[in-house]
Amino acid sequence: MKPAAFAYHRAHDVADAIGLLGELAAAGDEPKLIAGGQSLVPMMNFRLARPTALIDLGPLRRDPALTGLRRDGAQLEIGALVTHRAVEVAKLGPGFDVLSRAMRWVGHLPIRSRGTVAGSIVHGDATAEWCLLALLLDAVMVAEGPGGRREIPAAEMFHGFYTTAVEPDEVVTAVRFTRPAPRAALTEFARRHGDFAIVDVAVSLDGDGSRVVVGGVAPAPVRVPEAEAVLAAGDPGPDLFAACADAAAAAVDPPDDAAGSSAYRRRLTRTLVAGALHQAWQEGVTR
């Protein structure tokens, strides 16, 4: 439970963090950025990650652009250092309140109080709630690096196990959610509350734009177009939701591992998709 030896650096602003990433890499180090550290530090303790240098982004919390939540018409921008807890207690409005409601699934309160939205997405865990929500609401990651600023759509973000489109010399400065979803829900199953999900799903009900996103069934979270097509072809209700859940379970090809067999994950997918659709439908009924 001890990390391998590493050097510690503190970044003073985004430009400094980018510069440190480049300088350390050029010197033969393998640097990593650390913000909340709720994913990286446990992996370091188990020696699953062995960065030779950490660049602490803590001092950047003085920058309001990195710690704020901003609505701009139909879009919501979340600064890179905003915590899960800040989203949980925020009043985001009907188009984005699924983000606040989903936070109860993120670990426990101490984790939500330290971990960051951008950090979770860049970490790229296939069952991370924020990764599913990014796909559900068409998030765009704003990254800055030596080549300047660029935007990475969620559809291009997740490449596999803990692998994303963010380059090693880039710093994500914001996450912009571009697709409001008034009728949406996220749910999951884990052995104990706060554990990593075995399977989790996020759904939205929006006619032809309905979405079904599943985590824990592939190396990265995935949209399930077969299930989305079922939703687009009928009227919301229990029969349609059951058909959509069956389509989702048939479409995914989960792995067998210590947490459960492929068949078990398919059954979880069916159950969770149906439950999430009922929750999303109820959200629309009660508004």
Side-chain angles (χ1 to χ4, degrees), residues 39-40 45 54-55 64-65 78 118 128 132 139 150 154 162 186 188 194-195 201 211 218-219 253 257 270 274:
S39 297
L40 178 58
N45 286 341
L54 290 184
I55 302 171
I78 298 179
L132 272 68
R150 71 183 181 114
Y162 304 108
L186 181 146
E188 64 186 51
D195 283 0
V201 305
R211 294 272 173 96
D253 185 20
D257 59 24
R270 179 182 292 107

Side-chain angles (χ1 to χ4, degrees), residues 1-6 40-51:
M1 297 296 289
K2 286 185 177 181
F6 61 89
L40 178 58
V41 171
M43 292 186 75
M44 291 174 63
N45 286 341
F46 283 110
R47 306 271 177 125
L48 297 174
R50 298 191 181 197

Side-chain angles (χ1 to χ4, degrees), residues 22-115:
E23 292 169 16
L24 291 166
D29 280 311
E30 297 179 8
K32 281 281 191 181
L33 300 172
I34 185 167
Q38 300 304 294
S39 297
L40 178 58
V41 171
M43 292 186 75
M44 291 174 63
N45 286 341
F46 283 110
R47 306 271 177 125
L48 297 174
R50 298 191 181 197
T52 58
L54 290 184
I55 302 171
D56 188 355
L57 300 180
L60 277 64
R61 296 185 188 278
R62 296 188 295 264
D63 185 345
L66 299 177
T67 57
L69 296 92
R70 295 168 291 277
R71 284 294 298 266
D72 181 12
Q75 299 189 12
L76 170 69
E77 183 171 286
I78 298 179
L81 297 181
V82 171
T83 64
H84 313 303
R85 179 61 176 168
V87 174
E88 185 174 18
V89 300
K91 304 298 183 183
L92 301 179
F96 296 104
D97 63 0
V98 63
L99 301 177
S100 298
R101 288 184 278 108
M103 291 303 95
R104 70 187 183 92
W105 296 106
V106 178
H108 300 283
L109 181 59
I111 292 171
R112 296 198 295 274
S113 299
R114 291 289 301 173

